[in-house]
Amino acid sequence: MLRRKARRGQRDGVHDGPDDPLDAAQERRVRAVLALGGVPQADLPDGVQQVRLRLLERAAKGYEAPRDVSAWAAVVASNLAMDWHRAKRRQERIGERLASLRQLEHPSGEDTSVLSLAVAQGLDELPDQQRQVLVLRFYADLPVRDIAQELGVPEGTVKSRLHTAVRALRARLHEDEVV
């Protein structure tokens, strides 16, 4: 479970102070990465706070600020989601993830709901490392080079994981006759 550090009474997870290391766009991206990584809606504020805390701890230790805070925060959020994912059974989270995805501004039709469910189930079936690079590449929109750098793996490894994940997800969607 995500730890509840650095909340200091902020129940909604929003931190508007001038010293906030994450701007609003970065926070939305972190929330989305956490949600797509399987963290339930109720735990998203804690996850966002954990990313903030790690960024502040990094600064307190005297480390240089990340070159791209947004990319760094997305990778940290992805790692937090993987940690949470390992602690819970996959099937328990499908409904919660769909609920968080349905909060988009535009209403989704029945076809979109079926596709969302199939994609969520397909993501759950992927190994953690494949799910991580898929979310970072296609949702967080990070280039392969940045993903590789942030994860500390070669670009070829990221490309291989992406290729395998996309192929497995596509096969799942065809198997379920969704696409």
Side-chain angles (χ1 to χ4, degrees):
M1 252 343 122
L2 296 174
R3 290 175 277 146
R4 298 186 187 277
K5 286 185 180 177
R7 282 192 83 178
R8 295 200 173 130
Q10 297 194 2
R11 294 271 174 215
D12 59 356
V14 176
H15 188 286
D16 294 326
D19 296 329
D20 190 354
L22 296 177
D23 64 29
Q26 292 165 335
E27 180 177 336
R28 283 191 303 275
R29 189 179 204 186
V30 165
R31 283 178 166 277
V33 169
L34 289 167
L36 287 169
V39 176
Q41 185 74 26
D43 287 342
L44 293 181
D46 292 332
V48 172
Q49 291 298 72
Q50 282 297 308
V51 173
R52 277 192 180 98
L53 178 63
R54 290 186 185 182
L55 193 54
L56 291 170
E57 286 173 341
R58 180 181 172 98
K61 291 179 182 176
Y63 295 133
E64 243 181 76
R67 180 179 54 84
D68 181 350
V69 172
S70 188
W72 182 89
V75 171
V76 170
S78 178
N79 287 334
L80 286 170
M82 284 178 53
D83 291 344
W84 187 92
H85 186 73
R86 289 181 184 123
K88 289 291 197 177
R89 306 196 96 213
R90 290 178 178 176
Q91 293 301 317
E92 295 171 356
R93 294 189 341 271
I94 291 175
E96 293 169 352
R97 181 180 314 150
L98 289 176
S100 69
L101 292 176
R102 286 191 184 125
Q103 292 180 357
L104 297 174
E105 293 180 50
H106 57 281
S108 61
E110 186 176 323
D111 290 341
T112 305
S113 295
V114 170
L115 181 59
S116 294
L117 177 61
V119 169
Q121 288 173 334
L123 283 171
D124 271 347
E125 292 174 359
L126 292 175
D128 292 339
Q129 292 175 334
Q130 289 177 12
R131 182 182 330 97
Q132 181 181 36
V133 296
L134 197 69
V135 168
L136 290 172
R137 177 66 188 105
F138 295 112
Y139 187 81
D141 200 28
L142 294 179
V144 169
R145 177 181 45 236
D146 289 355
I147 296 169
Q149 184 177 23
E150 292 296 332
L151 295 178
V153 298
E155 286 184 40
T157 301
V158 173
K159 290 176 184 178
S160 174
R161 289 176 186 171
L162 277 171
H163 175 76
T164 305
V166 168
R167 190 176 66 218
L169 191 55
R170 183 180 297 130
R172 165 66 189 234
L173 295 177
H174 285 298
E175 182 181 297
D176 291 348
E177 297 179 357
V178 176
V179 292

